[in-house]
Amino acid sequence: VMVFFLLNAYASLISNMDMEDRVSHLEQRLQLQEDEIQLLKAALADALRRLGYCEENAAVVNERNLSADLSGSNWKKL
Amino acid sequence: VMVFFLLNAYASLISNMDMEDRVSHLEQRLQLQEDEIQLLKAALADALRRLGYCEENAAVVNERNLSADLSGSNWKKL
Amino acid sequence: VMVFFLLNAYASLISNMDMEDRVSHLEQRLQLQEDEIQLLKAALADALRRLGYCEENAAVVNERNLSADLSGSNWKKL
């Protein structure tokens, strides 16, 4: 019994050490991913802000072109 | 033997409870990350769609400016 | 003692198999997430590059409009 008991305790110890390593490795990788996701969120928020300026600018340019067209055609009519 | 056996069973139980807690915590964090990644994907898809409109609009504006330049220079030549 | 010992060894084996399954599943999901994050990073880098062109183009259009306005108002003054 003592030999089986020691073998079992030893196997259990090895198994727990292996599991401990894998879980520690998972915890590290998950932390790295959390950092990458935070960077992605910040970069995307910055891109959306810049995109907002682009859209605003495009709306202004389109409005100017529209009024330029209207004044241009009025001018041609005169 | 009985004492060693009980100590071993107790140590194994504590170790498994600790591992169980860490694995449960990992599962929760991974689920949260999966949700964040889904949100990031949706936000990026939306940004790419808006960027497509901006590029289309820029192409139209550039074409108009080009034809305006050409008609403008023709007008100057006359 | 032998019966308790075998029950404990069996319970420990089942618990380790269950933990092994959960940890393997976590490893797979984490790998899938890593792949998704790489795709997100590549797509975001591409979007930022296209956004850069849009901003450059908008700056050129705005400059042209500004000089067109100035020459237009000069023309009106003459």
Side-chain angles (χ1 to χ4, degrees):
Chain A
V1 169
M2 195 65 190
V3 171
F4 282 106
F5 165 72
L6 287 173
L7 280 176
N8 175 252
Y10 182 70
S12 177
L13 187 71
I14 294 296
S15 162
N16 283 345
M17 277 171 64
D18 174 56
M19 203 57 89
E20 157 75 31
D21 281 352
R22 286 169 71 187
V23 169
S24 293
H25 190 223
L26 277 172
E27 285 165 346
Q28 279 169 31
R29 284 168 69 193
L30 201 70
Q31 187 55 55
L32 288 177
Q33 281 199 8
E34 259 165 27
D35 298 343
E36 290 227 60
I37 288 172
Q38 291 313 310
L39 288 178
L40 273 170
K41 278 167 77 173
L44 185 59
D46 182 58
L48 288 173
R49 194 177 44 73
R50 284 166 58 191
L51 189 56
Y53 289 132
C54 272
E55 287 170 337
E56 230 171 89
N57 185 64
V60 171
V61 168
N62 283 338
E63 212 172 287
R64 290 166 65 114
N65 281 351
L66 188 66
S67 58
D69 281 357
L70 290 177
S71 62
S73 49
N74 286 341
W75 178 76
K76 276 175 202 152
K77 277 178 206 153
L78 295 178
Chain B
V1 168
M2 195 66 189
V3 172
F4 282 106
F5 165 73
L6 286 173
L7 279 176
N8 175 253
Y10 182 71
S12 178
L13 187 71
I14 294 296
S15 162
N16 283 346
M17 277 170 63
D18 175 56
M19 203 56 89
E20 158 75 31
D21 281 352
R22 286 168 72 188
V23 169
S24 293
H25 191 223
L26 277 171
E27 285 166 344
Q28 279 169 30
R29 284 168 69 193
L30 201 70
Q31 187 56 54
L32 288 177
Q33 281 199 8
E34 258 163 27
D35 298 343
E36 291 226 59
I37 287 173
Q38 291 313 310
L39 288 178
L40 274 170
K41 279 167 78 173
L44 185 58
D46 182 58
L48 288 172
R49 194 176 44 74
R50 284 165 59 189
L51 189 55
Y53 289 132
C54 273
E55 286 170 337
E56 230 172 87
N57 185 65
V60 171
V61 168
N62 283 339
E63 211 172 288
R64 290 167 65 116
N65 281 350
L66 188 65
S67 60
D69 282 357
L70 290 176
S71 64
S73 49
N74 284 343
W75 175 77
K76 279 174 200 154
K77 277 178 205 153
L78 293 177
Chain C
V1 169
M2 193 67 189
V3 171
F4 281 105
F5 165 73
L6 286 173
L7 279 176
N8 175 252
Y10 183 71
S12 177
L13 188 72
I14 293 296
S15 162
N16 283 347
M17 277 171 64
D18 175 56
M19 203 55 91
E20 158 74 34
D21 280 351
R22 286 169 71 187
V23 169
S24 293
H25 191 222
L26 277 172
E27 285 166 344
Q28 279 169 30
R29 284 169 69 193
L30 201 68
Q31 187 55 53
L32 288 177
Q33 281 199 8
E34 256 162 30
D35 297 343
E36 291 227 60
I37 287 173
Q38 291 313 309
L39 288 178
L40 273 170
K41 279 167 77 174
L44 186 58
D46 182 57
L48 289 172
R49 193 177 45 73
R50 285 165 58 189
L51 190 55
Y53 290 131
C54 273
E55 287 170 336
E56 231 171 87
N57 185 65
V60 171
V61 168
N62 283 338
E63 211 172 289
R64 289 167 65 114
N65 281 351
L66 189 64
S67 59
D69 281 357
L70 290 177
S71 62
S73 48
N74 285 341
W75 176 76
K76 277 175 200 152
K77 278 179 205 154
L78 294 177

